Amino acid sequence: MAQTRNNRATVRGRTGTTMRRTLRREAPTVIGLLTDEQDFAAMRRYGTFTFDDHTVYLRQVEGLLRTLAAQGMHTTVALFDPEEYAEFCAASGIAPDTPAGRSRFTAEIAACGATVAYTGQPIDTLIPLLVARAVRQATWEYATMLLSGLGDCADCGQDIGRAAFDRASHLLLRTLEAAGPGTHHMVCSTPTENEQLLAALHTERETTGPAHLDSAEGAEFVTVLAVGIALDSHGGVVLRTSAPGAADRVHGWRLTGGRLVPLTAGEVFSAYCTDADTGDPVSPESGVEYCAGFDIGADEPEAHH
């Protein structure tokens, strides 16, 4: 009788272990990643952070990612910023020199910070993706803050940021409609007092139907364009279109008074073939046509703030 009870207990124990393993495979995992030497060095001031070589650390993280993927687990990599971590711990009353503190912060940034899903990428490929995602998010947050701080128009009482966002959305949709079928890559550049804001957008459009675009990229692009509209800055938009059997075409527009004014072919060539940092000329790409911007057919804005 006692033996039977022991057997049942053993079976229940094994069943519980199997269930927990099943649940573990279905629970997502988040890893906070220190992408550069400077951030890694900043974390070494904590005694519980036991790594002492950034290259070794990255290879260990890569090995862990591969192991988790082999177990069928979904893993997300988040950008771990030591300064933000210290601020988070101070605000939350958490001891920073603890694995638990780092784990809690990683969960926090996974919910609202820059992340990339691990799909088997080498660590050297994953890091640029993660950094680019962080830059995109920071740009969007800064642009959103600018728009939300503009307030209402003194003349009509309309929210300036919302009106600019609606106008930018209209301009983007009209540009994509007028661009026709193909693979489109758009870049919007908007100067502000403190930053040069950039947003990129990739779209696909079949012969019929609307363009297919990522909602996050679309929101970022529209927000940056809206800042240019609201601040009446000298921004611009460049569109590169690729289609099978044809050379890539590059078009450009200047943002003026809430409108996208077409650039000439010469202006597009000059803008595309000049180094933005040094002003030095850059050799034109082979197989690329530099074309004047086309009329996107957008109506005039009802009111310009």
Side-chain angles (χ1 to χ4, degrees), residues 143-152 159-161:
T144 301
M145 179 190 68
L146 287 178
L147 290 177
S148 62
L150 294 175
D152 297 335
D159 185 293
I160 297 174

Side-chain angles (χ1 to χ4, degrees), residues 75-79 114-119 121 126 128-131 133:
T75 306
T76 300
V77 182
L79 185 68
T115 62
V116 171
Y118 177 70
T119 58
Q121 311 98 317
L126 187 63
L129 290 175
L130 187 57
V131 172
R133 184 67 56 83

Side-chain angles (χ1 to χ4, degrees), residues 3-182:
Q3 184 65 37
T4 301
R5 286 196 295 269
N6 289 338
N7 290 341
R8 288 175 179 171
T10 301
V11 170
R12 285 197 298 270
R14 290 174 178 173
T15 301
T17 300
T18 301
M19 292 177 66
R20 284 192 295 273
R21 287 174 179 170
T22 301
L23 289 172
R24 183 68 185 92
R25 285 196 297 269
E26 296 185 8
T29 300
V30 182
I31 294 177
L33 182 63
L34 297 159
T35 59
D36 60 50
E37 290 275 6
Q38 184 176 353
D39 288 346
F40 181 83
M43 290 302 295
R44 290 193 61 198
R45 68 176 181 266
Y46 301 119
T48 57
F49 185 80
T50 57
F51 290 96
D52 57 10
D53 184 280
H54 188 236
T55 300
V56 172
Y57 160 81
L58 291 179
R59 297 310 165 198
Q60 290 296 321
V61 170
E62 185 172 34
L64 176 59
L65 289 170
R66 290 175 177 171
T67 299
L68 294 172
Q71 295 172 354
M73 298 177 62
H74 176 76
T75 306
T76 300
V77 182
L79 185 68
F80 196 105
D81 186 296
E83 290 186 8
E84 292 182 1
Y85 174 61
E87 293 172 0
F88 171 80
C89 290
S92 305
I94 298 172
D97 195 2
T98 60
R102 293 191 290 273
S103 178
R104 183 169 171 181
F105 176 69
T106 299
E108 184 79 12
I109 58 179
C112 58
T115 62
V116 171
Y118 177 70
T119 58
Q121 311 98 317
I123 196 73
D124 294 337
T125 301
L126 187 63
I127 288 176
L129 290 175
L130 187 57
V131 172
R133 184 67 56 83
V135 171
R136 280 178 48 193
Q137 178 159 328
T139 298
W140 176 75
E141 290 176 351
Y142 179 69
T144 301
M145 179 190 68
L146 287 178
L147 290 177
S148 62
L150 294 175
D152 297 335
C153 175
D155 295 327
C156 67
Q158 191 175 23
D159 185 293
I160 297 174
R162 169 53 59 183
F165 189 90
D166 291 343
R167 177 63 183 167
S169 300
H170 177 70
L171 290 175
L172 173 60
L173 292 177
R174 287 298 305 133
T175 302
L176 292 176
E177 289 175 7

